[in-house]
Amino acid sequence: MPVFVRLQLSWLAISLSIPAVCMILAVTHAADPLLLTDIALPGLLGCWIIALATPFLFGGNASRELRRTAFVLMWSAIAIVFPLSWDLPWAILHDWVNGATAQDTSKWYFWAYAVADTRFLRSDPLMILVEYWSGIIGVVEIVFVTLFLRNRTAAAVRFFVAAGCLQFYGCTVFFVTQLMRHLADIRPDALSYLKFFGLNGMWMVVPAISGYLLIQLTKDPHYDARAVARALLGKQ
């Protein structure tokens, strides 16, 4: 397995462990819940950005094909894990999360973002719809990855485009409705703005980058996604 792939997987693992550790600290009252949110979410965002940039920063002599494929697959992993581990569960459990405070440490996992965007603390109907929408996107991404790894690239690209369009539309609604309210539901501090624009903005910017790289890869009639994925895993 190439070194840069090991680094990518390490950053992804760290990004998943940060919220888990912070949640344990919150539940056990070992640290201030608000401080933990200000550590966890920027840390999560930073890990994702580094993981995506790693193939280009630390790819060494790896081919452009390998580096581009690593980026596409890493973004798909993020676009599957986050919607299915936060967005969809929140949509299902929103009544339970409704009205949570810093003292409700059992709800810290959802409160960590919701304290920055209070729409998620009052079961906003539009947010419920958007988060169910995100869960559907996660499933579409799974179909994309499955087809891609089977080298059915034409079909995979169609599912990727569908996921990208759904992401862009969902994020547009997410942002526009809040901008029209002059960010009234966003906690007025720098870290909350980072959480709101940074975490959610990724779903508008990165799919476009990933889509461009995917199209460049599949332009080559000799491109074999399955073989490249095996090379990324160190299998020949």
Side-chain angles (χ1 to χ4, degrees):
M1 182 183 292
V3 173
F4 74 87
V5 177
R6 293 179 187 272
L7 289 172
Q8 276 192 301
L9 293 176
S10 296
W11 283 113
L12 182 61
I14 292 169
S15 77
L16 298 176
S17 65
I18 290 174
V21 171
C22 288
M23 182 168 64
I24 293 170
L25 292 174
V27 170
T28 58
H29 305 283
D32 175 38
L34 184 57
L35 174 62
L36 291 172
T37 71
D38 291 341
I39 294 172
L41 298 189
L44 181 74
L45 179 61
C47 286
W48 286 350
I49 292 172
I50 295 171
L52 290 166
T54 290
F56 305 105
L57 296 177
F58 305 107
N61 295 323
S63 68
R64 179 181 295 179
E65 186 178 71
L66 278 176
R67 287 181 280 127
R68 288 180 169 181
T69 303
F71 181 99
V72 170
L73 290 176
M74 177 53 62
W75 169 247
S76 292
I78 293 169
I80 290 168
V81 170
F82 192 72
L84 296 183
S85 65
W86 199 96
D87 296 354
L88 185 58
W90 178 86
I92 295 170
L93 299 171
H94 67 88
D95 279 335
W96 177 64
V97 181
N98 195 11
T101 67
Q103 284 68 47
D104 298 313
T105 53
S106 62
K107 305 174 185 180
W108 182 89
Y109 179 69
F110 297 106
W111 181 83
Y113 175 77
V115 70
D117 185 344
T118 58
R119 292 176 294 179
F120 291 90
L121 291 177
R122 61 171 187 271
S123 298
D124 185 292
L126 181 60
M127 291 303 100
I128 296 170
L129 178 62
V130 167
E131 299 309 279
Y132 272 119
W133 185 277
S134 295
I136 293 170
I137 294 170
V139 174
V140 175
E141 285 280 358
I142 291 173
V143 176
F144 157 72
V145 171
T146 301
L147 292 170
F148 185 74
L149 295 179
R150 291 180 179 178
N151 204 38
R152 296 175 59 184
T153 52
V157 168
R158 287 194 286 272
F159 274 92
F160 186 92
V161 170
C165 290
L166 290 171
Q167 286 165 343
F168 187 83
Y169 177 77
C171 284
T172 299
V173 172
F174 188 91
F175 279 122
V176 169
T177 53
Q178 190 53 216
L179 291 171
M180 289 176 65
R181 288 174 46 80
H182 307 288
L183 304 179
D185 297 307
I186 308 304
R187 188 183 177 95
D189 61 75
L191 283 175
S192 293
Y193 291 135
L194 174 64
K195 296 169 191 176
F196 176 68
F197 288 107
L199 285 171
N200 300 299
M202 284 192 75
W203 263 256
M204 298 186 77
V205 176
V206 182
I209 298 171
S210 190
Y212 169 78
L213 296 178
L214 179 63
I215 290 171
Q216 294 303 307
L217 287 168
T218 55
K219 275 183 178 180
D220 181 355
H222 303 295
Y223 177 70
D224 187 331
R226 180 186 296 168
V228 174
R230 288 180 61 84
L232 289 171
L233 294 174
K235 299 177 182 180
Q236 299 300 328

